[in-house]
Amino acid sequence: MNPMTLNKYQLIIMADDKQVVLERILQVTRYRGFLINGMNAEVNTGNNVATITMTVSSERPISLLVDQINKLIDIKGVKVDNSDV
């Protein structure tokens, strides 16, 4: 991958607060050919929902990654937010 042609995306992922969720997201991201540039995860202990903010880059369309993350068990939703990228 040429770093000059990579598109950057910020994903906001809502998921159940379970230990394996983050590992599954990382695995799908790697399998789909996206580089992780940064990540932040927080848990709302009141409703046990984790919010994961992840910045990724790739030459590929972001829809490839979003569709696969949405298929994972325990994922409540994925939003692409490029306002800060």
Side-chain angles (χ1 to χ4, degrees):
M1 282 188 232
N2 181 353
M4 298 303 287
T5 62
L6 296 180
N7 296 313
K8 258 187 156 176
Y9 306 98
Q10 182 170 329
L11 300 178
I12 300 172
I13 304 165
M14 303 296 286
D16 290 334
D17 180 29
K18 296 189 178 173
Q19 292 178 347
V20 298
V21 171
L22 189 56
E23 292 175 38
R24 289 182 184 141
I25 292 169
L26 294 174
Q27 184 178 37
V28 167
T29 303
R30 183 173 44 93
Y31 283 169
R32 294 293 171 213
F34 285 78
L35 300 172
I36 297 172
N37 303 109
M39 178 180 281
N40 183 40
E42 297 177 7
V43 176
N44 180 336
T45 54
N47 60 7
N48 290 329
V49 173
T51 303
I52 302 163
T53 305
M54 185 166 69
T55 305
V56 297
S57 56
S58 179
E59 296 172 343
R60 298 169 171 238
I62 192 62
S63 61
L64 293 175
L65 181 58
V66 170
D67 291 345
Q68 291 303 310
I69 291 175
N70 270 318
K71 290 179 184 178
L72 294 174
I73 296 174
D74 302 320
I75 297 296
K76 297 193 175 296
V78 181
K79 183 173 90 171
V80 179
D81 178 13
N82 283 343
S83 60
D84 292 339
V85 179

